[in-house]
Amino acid sequence: MTSKNTVYKLYADIIPVKGYSRSILFDVTKNKYWYIPDALYEILTKEIDFEDLNALYPDDPGILKEYKNFLQKNDLIFEIAPDEINAFPPIDMKWHSPSVITNMIIDVDYETSFASLSKINVEIGKLGVEAILFRCFSETKLRELKKYITCLSEDASNRVRDIQLEISIPEKSNSEKTIADLKKLAKLPIVSRVTIYTLNERLLTAPVEDSKIQVLEKSIKGPENCGVIQGNLDSVNLEIISESRHHNSCLNCKLSIDRSGNIKNCPSMEQDFGNLENTRLEESLHHKDFRRYWNLTKDSIEGCKDCEFRYVCTDCRAYTERTDTNKAGLDISKPLKCGYDPYTGEWEEWSTHPLKQKAIQHYGMEEYI
């Protein structure tokens, strides 16, 4: 039975994040979340004494009772004696990786040289790369890509444990041959997902037998289509939240190779740090600008710093609204392709927003919208 000296405390794996118009609770163990009013967030930042709160807010007993019922119903709080509070410290939010580079994006097009890509296989292992996303914009390169991914999966010297593939298939395509190759790729244990972007009716209507393969009705022409901020929260976990609190949620510990073999932070960004033909990956890492965005968090980005999604949302520095820079010369503007307004709590189509049109024109992005 609850005594007068009993208080409540959030479970350590429940992470509250304050936004401008509302806040959110993330359960990093159960991969769940709940929207809450900012008033409840303020209550949850310390031990919760509902008796004291009722005395402090005598006109709001109904709301406090509603808050308590919500927290107990969803198993978000537990009872504890005040003198035992320090026995339940907060969860450690530090982020660390033994890898120099944790993830890569490699773009593949008709001009991609797999002979050049094969040069970096040893370095991929030395850098400790754990995950690679291949984005293929040329159906004719799929056979070579399949051979390359198979080679990586069989290389015991690297630490890659997850490979994902995104491929754009034209509306008029020899889809049967392509699908056969993709199915073979999906059977590799190291491949966790194959996403097909197409307007090909045959592909869109054919049943997909492999759960790893997803077919989406969308035309993707190149890296210019990336950077769209989605409103779905598919993955809520401690690693994502802790990394985002201390580092950039897209560029931290990332290295990318564009379709021409240029070494970049992201294939969509303009600056490169050499080419595979004449530059080793390690040389690129020593360039003074390579890591400049790694520690730019959402707490420093205009608009994002007031958003309740900021620790579970990716951050695009390739395409921004181009409105703000900080003292170090870093672009701290809101991502261009985000349609969420944290001040109203509403989503809208980003590409039609009048304040984004100037940036859209700057990037020459009209044809990709």
Side-chain angles (χ1 to χ4, degrees):
M1 182 178 293
T2 304
S3 68
K4 186 175 181 180
N5 294 324
T6 299
V7 294
Y8 292 84
K9 184 176 176 64
L10 271 181
Y11 283 106
D13 57 355
I14 308 300
I15 311 296
V17 181
K18 189 177 188 301
Y20 184 89
S21 62
R22 63 181 177 182
S23 297
I24 197 166
L25 292 177
F26 293 108
D27 186 330
V28 296
T29 300
K30 299 177 182 176
N31 192 23
K32 297 175 68 175
Y33 62 93
W34 298 265
Y35 297 112
I36 61 172
D38 286 344
L40 178 54
Y41 170 89
E42 300 299 338
I43 293 173
L44 298 176
T45 54
K46 49 189 178 297
E47 63 268 21
I48 310 159
D49 188 328
F50 282 103
E51 288 190 20
D52 284 353
L53 287 171
N54 280 317
L56 190 61
Y57 303 103
D59 297 330
D60 299 315
I63 294 177
L64 290 171
K65 183 178 180 181
E66 184 180 336
Y67 287 168
K68 184 177 181 180
N69 289 340
F70 161 76
L71 294 168
Q72 290 181 319
K73 179 181 177 182
N74 291 287
D75 194 26
L76 301 172
I77 57 174
F78 62 97
E79 297 181 37
I80 188 173
D83 59 358
E84 295 179 344
I85 285 289
N86 293 333
F88 297 88
I91 199 166
D92 187 356
M93 295 299 292
K94 293 179 182 177
W95 185 88
H96 171 73
S97 173
S99 301
V100 179
I101 297 295
T102 60
N103 66 105
M104 292 180 66
I105 295 179
I106 299 178
D107 279 357
V108 176
D109 207 340
Y110 64 91
E111 60 186 295
T112 298
S113 168
F114 282 94
S116 296
L117 278 177
S118 64
K119 295 178 181 178
I120 65 172
N121 288 5
V122 173
E123 286 197 273
I124 286 176
K126 288 183 177 179
L127 294 174
V129 178
E130 300 170 359
I132 302 178
L133 169 63
F134 289 92
R135 304 191 304 188
C136 184
F137 305 109
S138 174
E139 192 179 14
T140 60
K141 284 288 187 175
L142 185 56
R143 283 288 173 92
E144 288 181 87
L145 178 57
K146 174 177 168 289
K147 184 177 179 181
Y148 182 73
I149 291 177
T150 301
C151 179
L152 277 179
S153 69
E154 295 174 348
D155 186 351
S157 67
N158 68 52
R159 283 188 262 170
V160 178
R161 55 184 173 84
D162 180 64
I163 288 179
Q164 298 184 15
L165 170 64
E166 295 180 355
I167 181 167
S168 178
I169 299 180
E171 193 168 357
K172 295 181 180 180
S173 161
N174 184 3
S175 57
E176 291 183 5
K177 179 181 177 183
T178 298
I179 289 298
D181 286 337
L182 290 173
K183 285 181 177 179
K184 290 177 182 178
L185 263 172
K187 287 181 179 179
L188 294 174
I190 200 171
V191 175
S192 64
R193 187 185 67 184
V194 175
T195 303
I196 301 170
Y197 297 102
T198 188
L199 299 179
N200 186 305
E201 286 295 330
R202 186 185 233 176
L203 286 175
L204 292 170
T205 55
V208 179
E209 300 169 354
D210 194 317
S211 60
K212 289 185 181 180
I213 300 177
Q214 181 182 30
V215 183
L216 299 178
E217 187 175 3
K218 189 174 183 180
S219 174
I220 300 293
K221 300 177 181 179
E224 295 81 4
N225 287 105
C226 101
V228 178
I229 309 299
Q230 305 287 354
N232 55 318
L233 302 180
D234 293 329
S235 183
V236 175
N237 60 59
L238 180 61
E239 184 175 1
I240 290 173
I241 292 177
S242 60
E243 183 176 13
S244 297
R245 287 179 64 154
H246 301 288
H247 305 284
N248 186 270
S249 57
C250 182
L251 299 178
N252 180 50
C253 293
K254 173 177 282 180
L255 184 148
S256 299
I257 311 295
D258 74 7
R259 49 193 169 187
S260 301
N262 296 311
I263 304 167
K264 297 182 175 183
N265 294 129
C266 164
S268 299
M269 299 182 82
E270 292 183 5
Q271 186 175 13
D272 70 69
F273 305 94
N275 188 280
L276 295 183
E277 290 294 333
N278 49 40
T279 308
R280 294 174 57 246
L281 299 185
E282 191 173 357
E283 292 178 53
S284 298
L285 293 177
H286 291 146
H287 190 285
K288 64 181 179 63
D289 289 338
F290 191 86
R291 307 179 193 221
R292 67 195 302 252
Y293 277 104
W294 279 20
N295 297 323
L296 182 70
T297 70
K298 287 279 196 176
D299 289 321
S300 302
I301 295 172
E302 294 303 315
C304 300
K305 62 186 180 184
D306 295 319
C307 180
E308 66 272 25
F309 300 119
R310 62 188 178 274
Y311 299 138
V312 293
C313 177
T314 189
D315 176 57
C316 181
R317 294 297 90 199
Y319 305 117
T320 75
E321 294 184 353
R322 297 174 53 78
T323 55
D324 297 274
T325 55
N326 64 12
K327 293 180 180 179
L330 299 182
D331 185 346
I332 57 170
S333 312
K334 180 179 176 178
L336 175 64
K337 300 181 184 182
C338 177
Y340 183 66
D341 186 343
Y343 306 107
T344 63
E346 297 178 350
W347 288 88
E348 63 179 19
E349 172 54 44
W350 68 269
S351 62
T352 58
H353 196 291
L355 297 180
K356 295 178 182 280
Q357 299 310 305
K358 189 174 181 179
I360 289 173
Q361 292 174 9
H362 169 82
Y363 293 115
M365 199 169 286
E366 295 91 340
E367 65 176 297
Y368 298 99
I369 296 174

